[in-house]
Amino acid sequence: MTLKYKAYILVGGLFLLNSCSKTLDINDNPNDPTSLAVSRLLPTTEVGLSNSLAIGAGLSQDLAVYTHQMSTREAPDQYGVTGDEFYLGNSWDRMYLTTIANLDEIITAATAQENTYYAGIAQVLKAYAYSQMVDVFGDVPFTQTGQLLQDNPYPEFDKGVDIYPKLFELLDAGLANLNDNTVGKNSLKPTTDDLIYGGSVTKWIKAANTIKLKLYTQIRKVQDVKTQVTALLSSGNLISTTAEGFLMPYGPNGATDDRNPGFGDYTATQRSNHVSPWFYEILQGYNKFVNTNIPDPRVPYYIYNQLTVDEEPDNATEYRDGAFVSIYFGSHGENAAKSQQNSISLFGIYPVGGRYDDGEGGVASASSGTGAAPYRFITYADRLYLEAELIQAGVITGDSRAVLQAAMKESFKQIDYVITTYVSPSQTVPSIYSEAATSPMVKYINSILTNFDNGNSDKKLENIMTQKWLSSVGSSVDQYTDYRRTGYPLMFNPEDPTQAPNHIVQPPINGDPMNPGAQKSVEVGSSRAYPYTLPWPQSELETNPNAPVQKTPSTFKPFWIQ
């Protein structure tokens, strides 16, 4: 099926797709073209963008495995995503046919009606959406996608290096529209139909500038960006508070189910999203390469264990550490394929709105949490990590240690913010942010800063990127981008003899209460090299005669990789 054919279906049946309880209002006139074109399209489009990226629905479902915060028996294991993989194709279609097509509709209609705020928001979202596609796929349709509803159903693929400059132009156009306060314009202004910022033009301007900062940072190895990033950081017009974060709120299971897609594992009949042992061991301070002997107090927020410490699992486990149950990336172990439906450890209250782990265990269900955690596009913490990276890389001057410290504090603060502002759990969840000298947060941050102080320049950058990776759990697209462009954080490699000698890894020897002191080692391996990009959807290549031949992901690099 061609993009053109799908686009016609989308425009005609928009309200049946990506339903969100916040998008419909019986007092709105569906025959009013102004309402239809902008206030009705915007919320559906924002949800579509988020769903294209999130765990459980979008690209992060695969990329969380590629960035080793999740492990699975399915296609992403051993970097095995092909052009036929479900989440890959679904994300591509939703991005182009729900998100980008509708953003074009909003821009056209809002421009004609001189509703510049709507036009500006749509332009910012469009630039961000395309940046994510370029970062993940490399070359994608861009120039000709606006012709899908005309006479060009088969868009050619543009080079990523040619698309990026146009994204900066699009952001500048969006900023111009957002700053246009001309009397007589903006007869219709976004309010609650803007699910992300509630119509706050000020916050959208800061988000647009922060997206620019992010994109400039990502191309710093192939372009001199000092002037641009210095101006942005000096402007005072970036995301600068927790509440200004670029987030997509999700709600509880109301009239329609608009919970965070990653919460789906709590209701799934076949749970398959394992929390990666590599990620878990770094959090616990077990990893001998990363944050060794530095336990992270975020563990019970990030991970929910269905078992108690000494409870018997569904079946024999591959990796167990008390209540924690998982499987390895690239596992060849005898227990990897065994069902652990009611034993598997899940992502917790942060990032998916699941349950805070209080040690009591319990089989996960729809009532375990609200699922109302937002998808985090760019947080204030992310913005600070970008600044710390730029300083440490020598692009700008400044104190990278001080900015890293601020970023880590903000990473903890945003956990409390998300839980209290969005998730609203029924269980009592303790605050994690505390600047008391003896608090777990301060002890952890001080230990990381000691590592930072003792490291050389490369190790300092590794510390920054590792903390960003830990902070951004659940939002894996930028993690994938960060790893490919910086080489950090250190990822699990079953072919690395220092990590898996003779392709053997050892779970905590005393971790399995069913086999005290004798948890078995596990054989691991991967026959594929790390992919620089994801493959293009096979359906697109087969139906679009202007599409290129399928790439080799392990050699097809984004333009920003030096």
Side-chain angles (χ1 to χ4, degrees), residues 53 95 128-137 214 477-478:
L53 304 175
M95 189 67 87
Y128 178 79
Y130 268 118
S131 74
Q132 298 280 276
M133 296 295 279
V134 171
D135 292 342
V136 170
F137 293 101
K214 172 182 175 293
V477 177
D478 286 350

Side-chain angles (χ1 to χ4, degrees), residues 504-527:
I504 298 297
V505 287
Q506 178 62 57
I509 194 71
N510 296 311
D512 185 358
M514 304 298 108
N515 295 285
Q519 185 161 205
K520 293 180 180 180
S521 60
V522 179
E523 181 183 356
V524 293
S526 179
S527 59

Side-chain angles (χ1 to χ4, degrees), residues 53-77:
L53 304 175
I55 287 176
L59 292 171
S60 288
Q61 178 68 19
D62 294 332
L63 295 178
V65 179
Y66 281 25
T67 56
H68 294 275
Q69 292 190 338
M70 196 164 80
S71 53
T72 183
R73 297 186 296 267
E74 299 176 1
D77 186 44

Side-chain angles (χ1 to χ4, degrees), residues 134 138-139 158-166 222-223 558-560:
V134 171
D139 300 345
D158 295 76
K159 298 290 185 183
V161 68
D162 297 326
I163 296 173
Y164 249 57
K166 296 175 183 177
V222 296
Q223 180 179 326
F559 77 95
W560 36 252

Side-chain angles (χ1 to χ4, degrees), residues 195-198 203-204 206-208 210 238-249 374-383 410 414 417-418 422:
L195 304 181
I196 294 175
Y197 281 133
K203 289 182 179 179
W204 274 110
K206 292 188 174 187
T210 307
L238 299 168
I239 293 172
S240 301
T241 68
T242 313
E244 291 173 352
F246 183 29
L247 315 175
M248 173 61 216
Y375 181 81
R376 291 162 286 127
F377 300 113
I378 307 176
T379 65
Y380 177 37
D382 294 330
R383 199 277 278 174
E410 180 59 28
Q414 72 184 15
Y417 173 75
V418 163
Y422 297 101

Side-chain angles (χ1 to χ4, degrees), residues 1-9 97 147-155:
M1 184 179 290
T2 68
L3 285 173
K4 181 180 182 181
Y5 180 66
K6 291 182 181 177
Y8 280 127
I9 293 175
L97 306 177
Q147 303 170 17
L148 291 178
L149 299 182
Q150 300 171 19
D151 297 317
N152 186 14
Y154 307 117

